[in-house]
C-alpha cells in the first residue's frame, strides 16, 4: 500500500448517545476508528494517522499524524460527548493538520465519521470539497445514522472532492457494526480494492 497521512475526524456530538448501533453510536464509532487507524499504520510502516473531534467546545486535534499506534489509541479513549459537530470546520482543521505533517511524501486522506445532522449548507461543503481536491486530499465519509438529513449533502460533497475514485461515501445501516462494513470497504482495502493488514 502507498504511504499515506490520514486524519480521522470523530463525531462526539449528543447524537452519538443513540443506541441504533451496538452498544451506542459512540462506541461503534470508536471501534471502527481503531480499525481504520490500525489498518492504515499496518499497510505501510511510514504511514501516519491523526485524530480530531468535531463537537464539544470546538474542533479539537487530539493527536497530530503519527505512526505511534499507542499515542493514537490513547488519544481516542476518554472522548467526551457533548454539543453539536461542526463537519465543515472539522474538515478544514484536518486539512491544516495534514498540511503540517512531518513527512511530506505520500498521499493525504481524511476519514470522517458522521453521526449527527450536518448543519453546513451544501454550497459551503462543495466549496470545501473543491479546496481539498485542489490540495490532493482524498476524503472517505462514514455515515452512521441521520441518513435522511445528510445523504444529499454528503453525496454532493463526495462528488466534488472525488479525483479518480479516491474518495468514498460509506453508509452504515442501523443495527450493523460499522467495523464489519468498513473491513471490506475501500476505506480499509484501498482505492484499488487490494486488501491491507487489519
Amino acid at each position: 500500500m502507498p504511504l499515506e497521512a490520514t486524519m480521522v475526524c470523530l463525531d462526539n456530538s449528543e447524537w452519538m448517545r443513540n443506541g441504533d448501533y451496538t452498544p451506542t453510536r459512540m462506541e461503534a464509532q470508536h471501534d471502527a476508528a481503531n480499525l481504520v487507524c490500525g489498518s492504515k499504520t499496518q499497510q505501510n510502516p511510514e504511514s501516519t494517522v491523526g485524530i480530531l473531534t468535531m463537537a464539544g467546545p470546538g474542533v479539537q486535534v487530539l493527536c497530530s499524524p503519527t505512526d505511534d499506534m499507542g499515542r493514537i489509541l490513547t488519544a481516542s479513549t476518554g472522548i467526551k460527548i457533548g454539543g453539536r459537530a461542526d463537519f465543515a470546520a472539522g474538515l478544514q482543521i484536518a486539512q491544516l493538520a495534514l498540511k503540517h505533517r512531518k513527512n511530506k511524501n505520500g498521499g493525504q486522506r481524511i476519514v470522517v465519521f458522521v453521526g449527527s445532522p450536518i448543519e453546513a449548507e451544501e454550497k459551503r461543503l462543495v466549496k470545501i470539497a473543491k479546496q481539498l481536491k485542489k490540495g490532493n486530499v482524498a476524503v472517505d465519509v462514514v455515515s452512521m445514522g441521520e441518513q435522511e438529513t445528510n445523504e444529499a449533502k454528503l453525496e454532493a460533497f463526495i462528488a466534488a472532492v472525488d479525483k479518480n475514485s479516491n474518495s468514498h461515501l460509506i453508509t452504515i445501516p442501523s443495527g450493523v457494526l460499522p467495523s464489519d462494513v468498513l473491513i471490506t470497504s475501500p476505506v480499509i482495502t484501498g482505492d484499488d480494492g487490494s486488501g491491507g493488514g487489519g
Side-chain angles (χ1 to χ4, degrees):
M1 290 295 282
L3 167 62
E4 203 168 51
T6 306
M7 277 303 288
V8 177
C9 304
L10 301 177
D11 188 338
N12 58 321
S13 65
E14 291 290 346
W15 276 267
M16 300 309 281
R17 295 185 196 277
N18 285 357
D20 51 354
Y21 297 91
T22 313
T24 63
R25 284 185 190 178
M26 190 70 185
E27 291 291 329
Q29 172 187 246
H30 185 259
D31 184 41
N34 283 348
L35 171 74
V36 170
C37 294
S39 68
K40 294 285 181 195
T41 53
Q42 286 172 17
Q43 285 166 5
N44 186 308
E46 290 185 56
S47 283
T48 55
V49 179
I51 293 178
L52 64 76
T53 54
M54 299 186 289
V59 177
Q60 199 173 7
V61 177
L62 304 178
C63 174
S64 51
T66 177
D67 58 1
D68 182 346
M69 197 58 198
R71 271 187 63 202
I72 297 164
L73 291 173
T74 304
S76 68
T77 52
I79 294 170
K80 300 211 176 355
I81 293 178
R84 296 169 177 267
D86 191 338
F87 181 74
L91 287 166
Q92 290 173 313
I93 289 172
Q95 184 181 19
L96 267 178
L98 288 171
K99 190 177 179 183
H100 295 290
R101 69 197 186 281
K102 283 185 185 140
N103 187 347
K104 302 286 188 201
N105 299 327
Q108 302 173 81
R109 181 173 299 276
I110 300 172
V111 179
V112 195
F113 287 85
V114 182
S116 58
I118 296 170
E119 294 178 354
E121 291 175 17
E122 188 177 308
K123 193 171 150 188
R124 182 171 176 219
L125 295 180
V126 168
K127 187 178 178 186
I128 293 168
K130 287 178 178 170
Q131 289 170 344
L132 290 164
K133 184 177 183 177
K134 191 176 175 188
N136 290 320
V137 180
V139 183
D140 292 323
V141 178
V142 181
S143 176
M144 302 170 54
E146 312 307 320
Q147 272 94 350
E148 315 76 42
T149 319
N150 293 339
E151 195 169 8
K153 287 180 180 178
L154 289 175
E155 283 174 357
F157 172 78
I158 290 293
V161 78
D162 190 41
K163 191 180 200 175
N164 305 323
S165 301
N166 71 347
S167 299
H168 311 93
L169 170 59
I170 313 293
T171 302
I172 315 284
S174 61
V176 176
L177 273 177
S179 48
D180 288 350
V181 176
L182 289 180
I183 198 94
T184 56
S185 75
V187 176
I188 300 296
T189 60
D191 300 327
D192 57 359
S194 63

